[in-house]
Amino acid sequence: TAGPTHEPIDPVRYIANRSSGKQGFAIAGALAALGARVSLIAGPVALPTPPGVTRIDVETAREMAAAVEAALPADAAVMVAAVADWGAEAAGLKIKKQDGVLPSLTLVENPDILAGLARHPQRPRLLVGFAAETNDVIDHAIAKRQRKDCDWIVANDVSGDVMGGDANTVHIISADRV
Ligand code: C5P
């Protein structure tokens, strides 16, 4: 998976995040170049599809979860997407602006696709999660690996101007080392 998800508020507005998709697309391209058969389940980004990769475009976290399910079985899953933790109870019609009235949003929890895969009867043999943290990066990533029950966590320090950039440094956390 790669990129952000868009969670509709109404037919013209959505909640999103700053994920560019670059990291996930680069990994998908690298895996294909190594000879893997790659399904890239991409949130809304305008990046070109890497050579040799089968791309499935989705918008919401729920659509991404369904596309991941449809891509199984897989030997490995690399879950790079910045999936929105919450969607909104979306209005069917555009919410109209009214002077002095602020609309309220009701958020609903999205499925955790990575944690779902960890419990799945067809769990891929290698399950790689990602973490984007601004502080205590390694400690948070170690805890996340245990909580989500994946094999590795790739920890990104996003405290600087990292999101959207072309260069990045990561820590890879497995059960026994960093
Ligand atoms: O909990 P957090 O969003 O920090 O976890 C990040 C990891 O979990 C990433 O690998 C991301 O792709 C995955 N994730 C997911 N479904 C969610 C939230 C996160 O697969 N709803």
PDB file of all heavy atoms in Angstrom, residues 1 61 79-85 110-115 128-133 144 147-148, ligand 1:
ATOM      1  N   THR A   1       0.849  -1.181   0.000  1.00  0.00           N
ATOM      2  CA  THR A   1       0.000   0.000   0.000  1.00  0.00           C
ATOM      3  C   THR A   1       0.891   1.239   0.000  1.00  0.00           C
ATOM      4  O   THR A   1       2.020   1.198   0.478  1.00  0.00           O
ATOM      5  CB  THR A   1      -0.907   0.031   1.240  1.00  0.00           C
ATOM      6  OG1 THR A   1      -0.093   0.153   2.426  1.00  0.00           O
ATOM      7  CG2 THR A   1      -1.763  -1.225   1.354  1.00  0.00           C
ATOM      8  N   ALA A  61      -9.870   4.498   3.218  1.00  0.00           N
ATOM      9  CA  ALA A  61      -9.270   3.393   3.966  1.00  0.00           C
ATOM     10  C   ALA A  61     -10.068   2.104   3.752  1.00  0.00           C
ATOM     11  O   ALA A  61      -9.492   1.027   3.618  1.00  0.00           O
ATOM     12  CB  ALA A  61      -9.210   3.748   5.447  1.00  0.00           C
ATOM     13  N   MET A  79       3.370  -2.332   3.960  1.00  0.00           N
ATOM     14  CA  MET A  79       2.219  -1.446   4.193  1.00  0.00           C
ATOM     15  C   MET A  79       2.703  -0.021   4.443  1.00  0.00           C
ATOM     16  O   MET A  79       2.851   0.408   5.585  1.00  0.00           O
ATOM     17  CB  MET A  79       1.421  -1.979   5.388  1.00  0.00           C
ATOM     18  CG  MET A  79       1.103  -3.477   5.286  1.00  0.00           C
ATOM     19  SD  MET A  79       0.013  -3.866   3.934  1.00  0.00           S
ATOM     20  CE  MET A  79      -1.524  -3.335   4.662  1.00  0.00           C
ATOM     21  N   VAL A  80       2.968   0.673   3.352  1.00  0.00           N
ATOM     22  CA  VAL A  80       3.587   1.993   3.446  1.00  0.00           C
ATOM     23  C   VAL A  80       2.540   3.113   3.554  1.00  0.00           C
ATOM     24  O   VAL A  80       2.839   4.219   3.974  1.00  0.00           O
ATOM     25  CB  VAL A  80       4.520   2.245   2.236  1.00  0.00           C
ATOM     26  CG1 VAL A  80       5.453   3.411   2.504  1.00  0.00           C
ATOM     27  CG2 VAL A  80       5.336   1.005   1.895  1.00  0.00           C
ATOM     28  N   ALA A  81       1.307   2.818   3.168  1.00  0.00           N
ATOM     29  CA  ALA A  81       0.289   3.888   3.109  1.00  0.00           C
ATOM     30  C   ALA A  81       0.092   4.569   4.455  1.00  0.00           C
ATOM     31  O   ALA A  81       0.162   3.938   5.504  1.00  0.00           O
ATOM     32  CB  ALA A  81      -1.041   3.310   2.623  1.00  0.00           C
ATOM     33  N   ALA A  82      -0.155   5.868   4.394  1.00  0.00           N
ATOM     34  CA  ALA A  82      -0.571   6.637   5.575  1.00  0.00           C
ATOM     35  C   ALA A  82      -2.101   6.613   5.595  1.00  0.00           C
ATOM     36  O   ALA A  82      -2.762   7.521   5.103  1.00  0.00           O
ATOM     37  CB  ALA A  82      -0.043   8.062   5.496  1.00  0.00           C
ATOM     38  N   VAL A  83      -2.618   5.498   6.110  1.00  0.00           N
ATOM     39  CA  VAL A  83      -4.067   5.300   6.114  1.00  0.00           C
ATOM     40  C   VAL A  83      -4.693   6.237   7.152  1.00  0.00           C
ATOM     41  O   VAL A  83      -4.207   6.311   8.285  1.00  0.00           O
ATOM     42  CB  VAL A  83      -4.396   3.837   6.483  1.00  0.00           C
ATOM     43  CG1 VAL A  83      -5.890   3.577   6.382  1.00  0.00           C
ATOM     44  CG2 VAL A  83      -3.607   2.869   5.611  1.00  0.00           C
ATOM     45  N   ALA A  84      -5.743   6.935   6.759  1.00  0.00           N
ATOM     46  CA  ALA A  84      -6.404   7.825   7.725  1.00  0.00           C
ATOM     47  C   ALA A  84      -6.963   6.993   8.872  1.00  0.00           C
ATOM     48  O   ALA A  84      -7.610   5.969   8.650  1.00  0.00           O
ATOM     49  CB  ALA A  84      -7.530   8.595   7.042  1.00  0.00           C
ATOM     50  N   ASP A  85      -6.673   7.397  10.090  1.00  0.00           N
ATOM     51  CA  ASP A  85      -7.175   6.641  11.243  1.00  0.00           C
ATOM     52  C   ASP A  85      -8.678   6.808  11.406  1.00  0.00           C
ATOM     53  O   ASP A  85      -9.346   5.929  11.936  1.00  0.00           O
ATOM     54  CB  ASP A  85      -6.455   7.100  12.512  1.00  0.00           C
ATOM     55  CG  ASP A  85      -4.992   6.698  12.491  1.00  0.00           C
ATOM     56  OD1 ASP A  85      -4.716   5.510  12.249  1.00  0.00           O
ATOM     57  OD2 ASP A  85      -4.123   7.570  12.686  1.00  0.00           O
ATOM     58  N   ASN A 110     -11.504   3.951  11.305  1.00  0.00           N
ATOM     59  CA  ASN A 110     -11.283   3.120  10.124  1.00  0.00           C
ATOM     60  C   ASN A 110     -10.689   1.774  10.525  1.00  0.00           C
ATOM     61  O   ASN A 110     -10.061   1.660  11.576  1.00  0.00           O
ATOM     62  CB  ASN A 110     -10.320   3.838   9.166  1.00  0.00           C
ATOM     63  CG  ASN A 110     -11.040   4.824   8.267  1.00  0.00           C
ATOM     64  OD1 ASN A 110     -12.221   4.652   7.963  1.00  0.00           O
ATOM     65  ND2 ASN A 110     -10.331   5.856   7.858  1.00  0.00           N
ATOM     66  N   PRO A 111     -10.856   0.772   9.660  1.00  0.00           N
ATOM     67  CA  PRO A 111     -10.200  -0.513   9.952  1.00  0.00           C
ATOM     68  C   PRO A 111      -8.686  -0.350   9.911  1.00  0.00           C
ATOM     69  O   PRO A 111      -8.170   0.422   9.105  1.00  0.00           O
ATOM     70  CB  PRO A 111     -10.674  -1.422   8.812  1.00  0.00           C
ATOM     71  CG  PRO A 111     -11.104  -0.513   7.719  1.00  0.00           C
ATOM     72  CD  PRO A 111     -11.563   0.760   8.369  1.00  0.00           C
ATOM     73  N   ASP A 112      -7.955  -1.049  10.796  1.00  0.00           N
ATOM     74  CA  ASP A 112      -6.489  -1.067  10.725  1.00  0.00           C
ATOM     75  C   ASP A 112      -6.103  -2.222   9.801  1.00  0.00           C
ATOM     76  O   ASP A 112      -6.207  -3.390  10.180  1.00  0.00           O
ATOM     77  CB  ASP A 112      -5.890  -1.235  12.123  1.00  0.00           C
ATOM     78  CG  ASP A 112      -4.381  -1.014  12.107  1.00  0.00           C
ATOM     79  OD1 ASP A 112      -3.708  -1.543  11.187  1.00  0.00           O
ATOM     80  OD2 ASP A 112      -3.878  -0.308  12.986  1.00  0.00           O
ATOM     81  N   ILE A 113      -5.687  -1.870   8.602  1.00  0.00           N
ATOM     82  CA  ILE A 113      -5.450  -2.878   7.558  1.00  0.00           C
ATOM     83  C   ILE A 113      -4.270  -3.773   7.950  1.00  0.00           C
ATOM     84  O   ILE A 113      -4.329  -4.998   7.827  1.00  0.00           O
ATOM     85  CB  ILE A 113      -5.198  -2.189   6.202  1.00  0.00           C
ATOM     86  CG1 ILE A 113      -6.345  -1.224   5.873  1.00  0.00           C
ATOM     87  CG2 ILE A 113      -5.037  -3.221   5.091  1.00  0.00           C
ATOM     88  CD1 ILE A 113      -6.057  -0.282   4.704  1.00  0.00           C
ATOM     89  N   LEU A 114      -3.203  -3.142   8.449  1.00  0.00           N
ATOM     90  CA  LEU A 114      -2.004  -3.892   8.842  1.00  0.00           C
ATOM     91  C   LEU A 114      -2.308  -4.859   9.986  1.00  0.00           C
ATOM     92  O   LEU A 114      -1.971  -6.053   9.918  1.00  0.00           O
ATOM     93  CB  LEU A 114      -0.901  -2.906   9.249  1.00  0.00           C
ATOM     94  CG  LEU A 114       0.375  -3.476   9.840  1.00  0.00           C
ATOM     95  CD1 LEU A 114       1.064  -4.420   8.862  1.00  0.00           C
ATOM     96  CD2 LEU A 114       1.324  -2.360  10.244  1.00  0.00           C
ATOM     97  N   ALA A 115      -2.970  -4.378  11.020  1.00  0.00           N
ATOM     98  CA  ALA A 115      -3.284  -5.248  12.161  1.00  0.00           C
ATOM     99  C   ALA A 115      -4.225  -6.370  11.719  1.00  0.00           C
ATOM    100  O   ALA A 115      -4.119  -7.506  12.196  1.00  0.00           O
ATOM    101  CB  ALA A 115      -3.899  -4.423  13.291  1.00  0.00           C
ATOM    102  N   VAL A 128       5.412  -6.140   6.742  1.00  0.00           N
ATOM    103  CA  VAL A 128       6.218  -4.953   7.052  1.00  0.00           C
ATOM    104  C   VAL A 128       5.305  -3.750   7.246  1.00  0.00           C
ATOM    105  O   VAL A 128       4.554  -3.375   6.346  1.00  0.00           O
ATOM    106  CB  VAL A 128       7.231  -4.660   5.915  1.00  0.00           C
ATOM    107  CG1 VAL A 128       8.127  -3.476   6.298  1.00  0.00           C
ATOM    108  CG2 VAL A 128       8.056  -5.892   5.596  1.00  0.00           C
ATOM    109  N   GLY A 129       5.370  -3.185   8.442  1.00  0.00           N
ATOM    110  CA  GLY A 129       4.619  -1.969   8.723  1.00  0.00           C
ATOM    111  C   GLY A 129       5.537  -0.764   8.721  1.00  0.00           C
ATOM    112  O   GLY A 129       6.766  -0.895   8.769  1.00  0.00           O
ATOM    113  N   PHE A 130       4.954   0.399   8.664  1.00  0.00           N
ATOM    114  CA  PHE A 130       5.711   1.652   8.678  1.00  0.00           C
ATOM    115  C   PHE A 130       5.237   2.501   9.839  1.00  0.00           C
ATOM    116  O   PHE A 130       4.082   2.395  10.270  1.00  0.00           O
ATOM    117  CB  PHE A 130       5.536   2.393   7.346  1.00  0.00           C
ATOM    118  CG  PHE A 130       6.431   1.834   6.276  1.00  0.00           C
ATOM    119  CD1 PHE A 130       6.249   0.532   5.828  1.00  0.00           C
ATOM    120  CD2 PHE A 130       7.467   2.576   5.760  1.00  0.00           C
ATOM    121  CE1 PHE A 130       7.091  -0.032   4.884  1.00  0.00           C
ATOM    122  CE2 PHE A 130       8.318   2.034   4.806  1.00  0.00           C
ATOM    123  CZ  PHE A 130       8.133   0.743   4.361  1.00  0.00           C
ATOM    124  N   ALA A 131       6.142   3.346  10.321  1.00  0.00           N
ATOM    125  CA  ALA A 131       5.754   4.281  11.365  1.00  0.00           C
ATOM    126  C   ALA A 131       6.294   5.653  10.987  1.00  0.00           C
ATOM    127  O   ALA A 131       7.419   5.766  10.508  1.00  0.00           O
ATOM    128  CB  ALA A 131       6.340   3.846  12.709  1.00  0.00           C
ATOM    129  N   ALA A 132       5.474   6.660  11.160  1.00  0.00           N
ATOM    130  CA  ALA A 132       5.911   8.046  10.978  1.00  0.00           C
ATOM    131  C   ALA A 132       5.737   8.715  12.327  1.00  0.00           C
ATOM    132  O   ALA A 132       4.618   8.849  12.826  1.00  0.00           O
ATOM    133  CB  ALA A 132       5.055   8.735   9.914  1.00  0.00           C
ATOM    134  N   GLU A 133       6.857   9.091  12.936  1.00  0.00           N
ATOM    135  CA  GLU A 133       6.807   9.643  14.290  1.00  0.00           C
ATOM    136  C   GLU A 133       7.588  10.942  14.343  1.00  0.00           C
ATOM    137  O   GLU A 133       8.569  11.119  13.622  1.00  0.00           O
ATOM    138  CB  GLU A 133       7.430   8.658  15.309  1.00  0.00           C
ATOM    139  CG  GLU A 133       6.847   7.249  15.293  1.00  0.00           C
ATOM    140  CD  GLU A 133       5.469   7.163  15.923  1.00  0.00           C
ATOM    141  OE1 GLU A 133       5.000   8.163  16.506  1.00  0.00           O
ATOM    142  OE2 GLU A 133       4.854   6.096  15.814  1.00  0.00           O
ATOM    143  N   LYS A 144       4.970  -0.193  18.382  1.00  0.00           N
ATOM    144  CA  LYS A 144       4.021  -0.402  17.268  1.00  0.00           C
ATOM    145  C   LYS A 144       4.200  -1.770  16.642  1.00  0.00           C
ATOM    146  O   LYS A 144       3.230  -2.424  16.279  1.00  0.00           O
ATOM    147  CB  LYS A 144       4.225   0.708  16.227  1.00  0.00           C
ATOM    148  CG  LYS A 144       3.194   0.702  15.124  1.00  0.00           C
ATOM    149  CD  LYS A 144       3.161   2.018  14.360  1.00  0.00           C
ATOM    150  CE  LYS A 144       2.728   3.153  15.279  1.00  0.00           C
ATOM    151  NZ  LYS A 144       2.607   4.432  14.578  1.00  0.00           N
ATOM    152  N   ARG A 147       2.436  -4.135  18.933  1.00  0.00           N
ATOM    153  CA  ARG A 147       0.987  -3.924  18.968  1.00  0.00           C
ATOM    154  C   ARG A 147       0.329  -4.445  17.698  1.00  0.00           C
ATOM    155  O   ARG A 147      -0.725  -5.060  17.735  1.00  0.00           O
ATOM    156  CB  ARG A 147       0.708  -2.432  19.135  1.00  0.00           C
ATOM    157  CG  ARG A 147      -0.683  -2.089  19.555  1.00  0.00           C
ATOM    158  CD  ARG A 147      -0.822  -0.640  19.996  1.00  0.00           C
ATOM    159  NE  ARG A 147      -0.490   0.317  18.960  1.00  0.00           N
ATOM    160  CZ  ARG A 147       0.515   1.179  19.001  1.00  0.00           C
ATOM    161  NH1 ARG A 147       1.309   1.212  20.050  1.00  0.00           N
ATOM    162  NH2 ARG A 147       0.736   2.015  18.012  1.00  0.00           N
ATOM    163  N   LYS A 148       0.975  -4.198  16.548  1.00  0.00           N
ATOM    164  CA  LYS A 148       0.365  -4.579  15.269  1.00  0.00           C
ATOM    165  C   LYS A 148       0.800  -5.974  14.831  1.00  0.00           C
ATOM    166  O   LYS A 148       0.354  -6.459  13.803  1.00  0.00           O
ATOM    167  CB  LYS A 148       0.698  -3.552  14.200  1.00  0.00           C
ATOM    168  CG  LYS A 148       0.232  -2.154  14.578  1.00  0.00           C
ATOM    169  CD  LYS A 148      -0.240  -1.366  13.391  1.00  0.00           C
ATOM    170  CE  LYS A 148      -0.682   0.017  13.828  1.00  0.00           C
ATOM    171  NZ  LYS A 148      -1.467   0.694  12.804  1.00  0.00           N
TER     172      LYS A 148
HETATM  173  O1  C5P B   1      -0.999   3.363  13.729  1.00  0.00           O
HETATM  174  P1  C5P B   1      -0.215   3.948  12.604  1.00  0.00           P
HETATM  175  O2  C5P B   1      -1.068   4.663  11.587  1.00  0.00           O
HETATM  176  O3  C5P B   1       0.949   4.796  13.040  1.00  0.00           O
HETATM  177  O4  C5P B   1       0.432   2.669  11.893  1.00  0.00           O
HETATM  178  C1  C5P B   1       1.152   2.777  10.719  1.00  0.00           C
HETATM  179  C2  C5P B   1       1.233   1.461   9.996  1.00  0.00           C
HETATM  180  O5  C5P B   1      -0.050   0.809  10.025  1.00  0.00           O
HETATM  181  C3  C5P B   1       1.553   1.640   8.529  1.00  0.00           C
HETATM  182  O6  C5P B   1       2.205   0.473   8.068  1.00  0.00           O
HETATM  183  C4  C5P B   1       0.169   1.801   7.914  1.00  0.00           C
HETATM  184  O7  C5P B   1       0.173   1.474   6.530  1.00  0.00           O
HETATM  185  C5  C5P B   1      -0.646   0.816   8.733  1.00  0.00           C
HETATM  186  N1  C5P B   1      -2.060   1.190   8.911  1.00  0.00           N
HETATM  187  C6  C5P B   1      -3.054   0.457   8.304  1.00  0.00           C
HETATM  188  N2  C5P B   1      -4.380   0.780   8.506  1.00  0.00           N
HETATM  189  C7  C5P B   1      -4.724   1.815   9.301  1.00  0.00           C
HETATM  190  C8  C5P B   1      -3.712   2.585   9.939  1.00  0.00           C
HETATM  191  C9  C5P B   1      -2.396   2.237   9.713  1.00  0.00           C
HETATM  192  O8  C5P B   1      -2.742  -0.491   7.572  1.00  0.00           O
HETATM  193  N3  C5P B   1      -6.013   2.118   9.476  1.00  0.00           N
END
